[in-house]
Amino acid sequence: MSTAIKVENLSKAFWSGNVRIQALDGVGLQVEEGEIFGLLGPNGAGKTTLISILCGLTTRDSGRAEIFGMDVERDLPKVQEVINVVSGFSGVIHAITLEEMLRYYAMLYSIPEPEERIDEVLALVELEDRRAEWVSLFSAGLRQRFFLAKALLNRPRVLFLDEPTVGLDVGMAVKIREMIKRLGREGYTILLTTHNMFEAEALCGRIALIHKGRIRVVGTLREIKGAIREEKVIEISTDGGAELCEKLQTLEGVISCARDGGNVRVVVDDYGRMKNLMALLAKDGPRVYSIRLVEPTLEEVFLELTGEDHGRR
Ligand SMILES: Nc1ncnc2c1ncn2[C@@H]1O[C@H](COP(=O)(O)OP(=O)(O)OP(=O)(O)O)[C@@H](O)[C@H]1O
Ligand SMILES: [Mg+2]
């Protein structure tokens, strides 16, 4: 398994009139081949800027940005062969059919056997029966599937998806997510941005939170959630009383146990202690209605790390 995306100390500032905006401020990031990696952050955090630099659409001020070891500026033609991008905000040309659009892109990408590949990508995004229709008249969902088809034409090893489900209804968003999942299983490396925490949880193995041009935290969901809350709490909804608490407290790894309404809150040193808890509950026989790990939601993590900032962006 090799490293697909490597970013080191990457910085980029824009000028807006006389105002300098530091869009990226020393970003470091590494995405391994085959990962679906989520990039989350508030509006203006720098997500699209990072993707634009990695795709060779924007130049950087300083730092490193590589795709499979190739520098995204110096080796751009080679990089372009192995990447593609879907942005939630792309436009389409009027009065051109889906098939014609894909032929046009296939030509730009110098795809060998374009007709064959067009059939394949249309099947992948389930648009085979729409090929003769104008893309400009497509609904947002169909349009997004067209952009995905376009982005798959060159069999990219790295796919950048900038807010792939923005503006879509629930059903269509689910469909797009299923497609992304399938691409992940097929081995595509995917860097995805989203404002939808549920989407990030559902799709991404690892996630980075970016805020004001800096990566604040990177890791699996579990790691990220652990990063803001040391305490590991198991909440048991039960009719067991003080006696149960006493017993639970004798278990290894249980730090404290307290009743809280109809719940028993058990603080443990590791969620792996769950097994012993379950064994005790099974043996001792109080009624148990539910057991859950009380973890912060990704949303809570996000708010805690990006803080009270509602400044200009
Ligand atoms: N071409 C540009 N000229 C001037 N400023 C820009 C340009 N592109 C981006 N910026 C600024 O850089 C900062 C980062 O923007 P960017 O689009 O990367 O954020 P983002 O994380 O993608 O936000 P969103 O979630 O809203 O898409 C913002 O303050 C934005 O206004
Ligand atoms: Mg953006």
Side-chain angles (χ1 to χ4, degrees):
M1 203 60 61
S2 49
T3 299
I5 303 171
K6 186 169 193 167
V7 171
E8 266 175 22
N9 211 11
L10 190 67
S11 290
K12 172 75 183 178
F14 291 107
W15 285 96
S16 178
N18 286 330
V19 183
R20 188 171 184 274
I21 297 169
Q22 194 69 44
L24 298 178
D25 189 9
V27 166
L29 198 66
Q30 195 158 316
V31 178
E32 302 304 322
E33 188 173 11
E35 273 193 282
I36 302 186
F37 190 97
L39 189 59
L40 271 66
N43 291 128
K47 304 179 294 295
T48 300
T49 304
L50 177 58
I51 288 184
S52 301
I53 290 174
L54 287 168
C55 294
L57 299 169
T58 303
T59 55
R60 66 197 160 202
D61 294 342
S62 59
R64 272 172 80 176
E66 294 173 359
I67 305 282
F68 288 113
M70 298 178 283
D71 184 276
V72 295
E73 280 178 34
R74 228 181 20 247
D75 306 319
L76 185 59
K78 278 207 184 116
V79 168
Q80 278 171 331
E81 282 178 22
V82 298
I83 64 167
N84 214 316
V85 58
V86 176
S87 155
F89 307 97
S90 309
V92 292
I93 306 168
H94 188 57
I96 294 188
T97 67
L98 172 59
E99 202 167 43
E100 287 164 346
M101 284 293 281
L102 289 174
R103 277 200 197 114
Y104 168 72
Y105 280 109
M107 190 183 70
L108 287 183
Y109 299 157
S110 311
I111 305 291
E113 317 268 358
E115 294 303 319
E116 227 168 85
R117 187 58 187 157
I118 288 171
D119 288 346
E120 282 170 12
V121 297
L122 284 176
L124 279 170
V125 301
E126 298 170 28
L127 281 182
E128 298 109 310
D129 54 346
R130 303 284 189 141
R131 52 203 308 154
E133 292 177 38
W134 288 0
V135 178
S136 54
L137 297 184
F138 276 180
S139 69
L142 294 182
R143 220 179 248 225
Q144 198 58 348
R145 275 149 70 185
F146 153 68
F147 284 123
L148 199 53
K150 167 241 141 195
L152 292 171
L153 274 174
N154 65 330
R155 294 190 175 83
R157 292 173 71 191
V158 180
L159 196 52
F160 296 99
L161 304 177
D162 198 0
E163 301 191 41
T165 59
V166 70
L168 304 189
D169 69 44
V170 177
M172 194 55 85
V174 167
K175 203 168 190 65
I176 298 268
R177 273 182 218 126
E178 277 168 7
M179 286 172 186
I180 295 171
K181 250 191 187 150
R182 203 180 314 145
L183 293 172
R185 279 197 298 269
E186 285 175 21
Y188 284 84
T189 306
I190 297 173
L191 179 68
L192 168 132
T193 78
T194 179
H195 288 293
N196 183 328
M197 302 290 155
F198 164 78
E199 179 165 294
E201 297 218 41
L203 291 177
C204 304
R206 287 196 307 143
I207 286 171
L209 287 185
I210 183 169
H211 182 40
K212 294 184 176 171
R214 289 191 187 174
I215 303 280
R216 303 292 156 149
V217 61
V218 187
T220 61
L221 267 174
R222 176 57 52 84
E223 286 164 355
I224 288 183
K225 289 175 173 182
I228 69 155
R229 198 178 292 171
E230 281 287 303
E231 236 187 13
K232 298 184 178 66
V233 180
I234 298 171
E235 200 175 77
I236 308 165
S237 171
T238 172
D239 58 8
E243 206 183 312
L244 174 65
C245 252
E246 268 169 37
K247 282 190 185 145
L248 285 170
Q249 241 151 6
T250 64
L251 291 179
E252 199 184 340
V254 171
I255 296 161
S256 70
C257 180
R259 280 200 66 80
D260 174 13
N263 292 328
V264 169
R265 256 175 93 84
V266 190
V267 179
V268 290
D269 61 356
D270 190 293
Y271 282 127
R273 305 294 187 185
M274 186 78 145
K275 210 168 56 191
N276 298 344
L277 248 75
M278 303 271 281
L280 188 140
L281 290 168
K283 196 172 70 191
D284 226 51
R287 218 179 266 262
V288 174
Y289 304 105
S290 70
I291 302 178
R292 68 181 193 103
L293 307 184
V294 186
E295 291 188 303
T297 62
L298 188 54
E299 213 148 32
E300 284 173 328
V301 176
F302 186 90
L303 288 174
E304 177 148 339
L305 291 174
T306 57
E308 21 12 271
D309 170 56
H310 298 287
R312 59 175 294 281
R313 57 189 192 224

